[in-house]
Amino acid sequence: MAAHPRARPARVVEQHRAGYVVADATDHVFDVESPPQWQRPPGYRRGKVAPEARAVVGDWVLVEDGRIVALLPRRNALKRAAAGEHYRQQLIAANVDVALVVCGLDGDFNPRRIERYLLLARAEEVEPVVVLTKADLPGADPDAARAALASVLDQGVPVLAVNACDPAAADALAPWLRPGTTAVLVGSSGAGKSTLTNTLLGQARMKTGQVRERDARGRHTTTYRALVPLPSGACLIDTPGMRELKPTGEEALDDGFADIEALAAVCRFRDCRHQAEPGCAVRAAVEAGDLDPGRLANYHKLQDEVARAADRLAQRRGGIPPGREGGGRPR
Ligand SMILES: Nc1nc2c(ncn2[C@@H]2O[C@H](COP(=O)(O)OP(=O)(O)OP(=O)(O)O)[C@@H](O)[C@H]2O)c(=O)[nH]1
Ligand SMILES: [Mg+2]
Ligand SMILES: [Zn+2]
């Protein structure tokens, strides 16, 4: 601050390749340049500043003379690991209270993907709400979908089925869009994130695009993240559809898989992997029909991915992965 006496706080509302758009306290919206150290010098593989140290939509920054001069501390940031050889985090949005996990009740519906989103949200203490769109389409079966998400519902995560084009969707979402709340829409391309944004806004501000007939896949219509103030007084962040959701290694499976962790606590062996060990309470629950085998498989897969990402993260930081210093976890 001392070095920038004329700097003013503003919130990042759009993020483009070339720079940012911010809004200040008077709702004045304007373009700003990034600090030079955030811009990758041509010919360099990596910029001087790590991606997570640069502003994303939802961040507060200090602006002076049309340029960002500082990133203010953030409360949290929804993130995933970026694809590629090197460990890198990709921030989706910062300073968020609620994650609206949008999934169509067409070919897009996938409980395993939803579990993945919930894992990422909880790691940052973002409250997840599952929004199943396209409930109006012939063939949509909200009851069957809710049954497939029984363990998610059991953990207190709300699951709503809506027609994203219908203003009634705004009423259904109202409890999570109170004044001062920041909510982010996440989900695959074509799930209906921008359609919901427009319905909540009461006007067609974001471009939407038809999905492919064959497999209900979207065409990546939204290409940048945007924060829009809603009439309700909440802030809503629309994002481009994501293909891949890799954990960063900072997640804990305990919250999202409390049912499996509770069963694991009574397995005969403390280090039971729930594969072929005798006295495994988790496998017994699957055999008794009390636990979805797909959910268990996803748990194993995610556990593996989180552990591997945690190793890569620790390598990058040059330390020992958190919680792995002393062998197994005590019972
Ligand atoms: N009938 C019906 N159509 C919907 C619903 N939600 C979305 N759609 C349609 O699905 C298509 C994709 O919607 P978008 O809002 O563009 O999807 P998106 O999630 O923003 O996709 P990306 O921007 O590509 O990530 C559009 O043709 C919408 O009209 C719904 O609840 N009911
Ligand atoms: Mg969109
Ligand atoms: Zn076991």
Side-chain angles (χ1 to χ4, degrees):
M1 253 327 228
H4 301 283
R6 284 172 294 107
R8 292 284 171 269
R11 196 169 193 196
V12 175
V13 296
E14 277 177 36
Q15 193 182 338
H16 298 277
R17 261 176 226 289
Y20 296 93
V21 180
V22 300
D24 69 10
T26 58
D27 275 341
H28 175 49
V29 175
F30 53 102
D31 293 335
V32 289
E33 272 182 63
S34 333
Q37 63 271 28
W38 293 4
Q39 295 163 15
R40 288 163 196 239
Y44 279 69
R45 282 200 46 172
R46 279 149 68 103
K48 286 190 197 116
V49 175
E52 53 267 36
R54 297 177 211 158
V56 292
V57 168
D59 263 322
W60 288 90
V61 291
L62 289 178
V63 175
E64 189 181 65
D65 302 330
R67 187 188 279 280
I68 295 176
V69 292
L71 169 64
L72 295 174
R74 49 171 81 106
R75 182 159 47 86
N76 63 4
L78 197 61
K79 53 193 163 185
R80 62 172 175 171
E85 189 191 330
H86 296 281
Y87 180 93
R88 210 157 50 78
Q89 294 190 348
Q90 189 192 46
L91 272 52
I92 299 159
N95 300 314
V96 288
D97 304 291
V98 174
L100 300 172
V101 178
V102 183
C103 189
L105 283 168
D106 50 6
D108 185 44
F109 183 69
N110 180 340
R112 307 287 86 87
R113 189 168 355 98
I114 291 172
E115 287 166 354
R116 225 166 237 273
Y117 276 111
L118 300 186
L119 186 74
L120 299 190
R122 281 171 154 145
E124 293 291 320
E125 284 168 22
V126 176
E127 183 187 355
V129 177
V130 177
V131 184
L132 304 173
T133 53
K134 313 194 185 184
D136 56 298
L137 290 186
D141 190 344
D143 292 334
R146 290 173 68 87
L149 292 169
S151 40
V152 166
L153 279 160
D154 281 350
Q155 287 165 50
V157 178
V159 177
L160 316 173
V162 301
N163 171 359
C165 313
D166 183 346
D171 300 326
L173 284 167
W176 295 279
L177 298 173
R178 298 218 164 90
T181 302
T182 298
V184 61
L185 291 157
V186 289
S188 318
S189 176
K193 300 176 297 295
S194 301
T195 304
L196 261 178
T197 302
N198 292 342
T199 299
L200 291 165
L201 258 180
Q203 54 172 288
R205 163 147 171 202
M206 300 302 293
K207 213 163 90 180
T208 63
Q210 298 267 312
V211 299
R212 288 200 305 219
E213 193 88 26
R214 179 160 55 85
D215 54 8
R217 280 220 193 184
R219 297 160 198 265
H220 293 278
T221 308
T222 304
T223 53
Y224 61 92
R225 305 186 194 119
L227 181 150
V228 294
L230 295 180
S232 76
C235 290
L236 184 69
I237 300 173
D238 188 14
T239 64
M242 287 184 279
R243 258 197 215 95
E244 225 193 6
L245 275 183
K246 292 209 290 186
T248 62
E250 295 172 325
E251 299 83 0
L253 265 71
D254 316 38
D255 298 333
F257 293 90
D259 50 343
I260 297 178
E261 302 258 330
L263 288 165
V266 293
C267 290
R268 184 176 307 162
F269 298 109
R270 199 173 80 165
D271 59 351
C272 185
R273 306 256 315 128
H274 327 304
Q275 309 282 5
E277 295 91 336
C280 174
V282 175
R283 295 233 51 100
V286 171
E287 270 144 42
D290 295 334
L291 177 65
D292 182 343
R295 180 167 165 81
L296 176 59
N298 201 34
Y299 171 79
H300 281 309
K301 191 159 183 266
L302 285 172
Q303 200 172 38
D304 210 57
E305 286 182 38
V306 170
R308 266 187 292 156
D311 282 341
R312 297 181 79 190
L313 177 61
Q315 262 173 33
R316 193 186 70 165
R317 289 184 179 156
I320 303 162
R324 312 180 105 226
E325 299 90 341
R329 219 173 358 158
R331 167 132 300 164

